């Protein structure tokens, strides 16, 4: 029982540490990412999240295989947006969906960081500091920074 409490406490502390370290990047990306300058697939994902279940999945190519996040975002419409001025010139409804996308991506990023720590520390028996460092390398890697 004592080991379970210690394990839970360590995982919770790692999650809190991850939030403290990565929250500025979440805020910066939400506030300063401009959908109109760098549209990529953002507008398509926003429209899928807005009415995912109303669309024909055949017409969503190549997005029909990437529906989990838009479906989750579409179901989280009860979460209010962090109402602040952002760089994107979009209406309030689209800003709410954009915020929920950023929040879902951020939550999954934190969970991945925590799982990385768990595997490195508990499964592969790495030092706690090396496990945290590996998680930080993942969180601040180019792929995570540019896609979250």
């Amino acid at each position: 029982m004592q080991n379970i409490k210690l394990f839970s406490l360590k995982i919770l502390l790692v999650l809190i540490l991850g939030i403290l370290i990565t929250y500025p990047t979440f805020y910066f990306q939400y506030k300063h990412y401009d959908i109109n300058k760098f549209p990529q697939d953002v507008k398509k994902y926003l429209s899928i999240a807005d009415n995912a279940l109303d669309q024909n999945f055949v017409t969503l190519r190549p997005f029909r295989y990437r529906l989990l996040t838009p479906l989750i975002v579409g179901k989280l419409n009860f979460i209010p947006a962090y109402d602040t001025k952002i760089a994107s010139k979009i209406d309030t409804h689209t800003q709410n969906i954009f915020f929920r996308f950023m929040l879902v991506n951020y939550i999954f990023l934190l969970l991945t960081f925590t799982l990385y720590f768990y595997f490195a520390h508990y499964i592969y028996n790495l030092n706690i500091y090396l496990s945290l460092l590996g998680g930080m390398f993942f969180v601040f890697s180019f792929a995570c920074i540019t896609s979250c």
Side-chain angles (χ1 to χ4, degrees):
M1 189 68 171
Q2 186 70 12
N3 288 340
I4 293 174
K5 286 183 180 180
L6 183 62
F7 170 77
S8 301
L9 182 64
K10 275 187 180 179
I11 294 296
L12 183 64
L13 287 175
V14 166
L15 187 61
I16 290 170
L17 180 67
I19 290 170
L20 290 174
I21 292 173
T22 60
Y23 179 76
T25 60
F26 167 72
Y27 177 78
F28 181 79
Q29 287 181 350
Y30 174 65
K31 184 141 174 82
H32 297 289
Y33 183 78
D34 192 356
I35 294 172
N36 301 317
K37 283 186 182 176
F38 310 103
Q40 298 162 341
D41 297 337
V42 174
K43 291 183 181 182
K44 186 68 172 178
Y45 282 115
L46 290 174
S47 70
I48 291 172
D50 201 18
N51 52 3
L53 298 178
D54 298 335
Q55 298 184 19
N56 184 358
F57 290 117
V58 176
T59 62
L60 293 176
R61 287 185 189 156
F63 301 96
R64 63 181 172 190
Y65 301 111
R66 302 180 235 162
L67 289 177
L68 181 63
T69 305
L71 285 174
I72 292 171
V73 168
K75 294 297 178 187
L76 293 178
N77 56 3
F78 61 89
I79 295 177
Y82 180 63
D83 192 22
T84 186
K85 186 175 171 84
I86 62 174
S88 294
K89 305 290 187 246
I90 53 178
D91 60 291
T92 307
H93 177 69
T94 308
Q95 183 177 348
N96 289 344
I97 296 171
F98 179 63
F99 174 76
R100 290 194 304 263
F101 260 110
M102 295 294 294
L103 185 65
V104 167
N105 285 341
Y106 181 65
I107 289 170
F108 281 126
L109 180 77
L110 287 173
L111 289 176
T112 305
F113 166 72
T114 307
L115 282 174
Y116 185 90
F117 171 81
Y118 169 77
F119 279 110
H121 186 62
Y122 288 103
I123 304 297
Y124 295 111
N125 296 322
L126 290 178
N127 183 335
I128 192 168
Y129 300 113
L130 287 176
S131 301
L132 287 172
L133 184 64
M136 286 298 128
F137 281 152
F138 163 73
V139 166
F140 292 113
S141 68
F142 179 75
C144 287
I145 292 293
T146 58
S147 66
C148 290

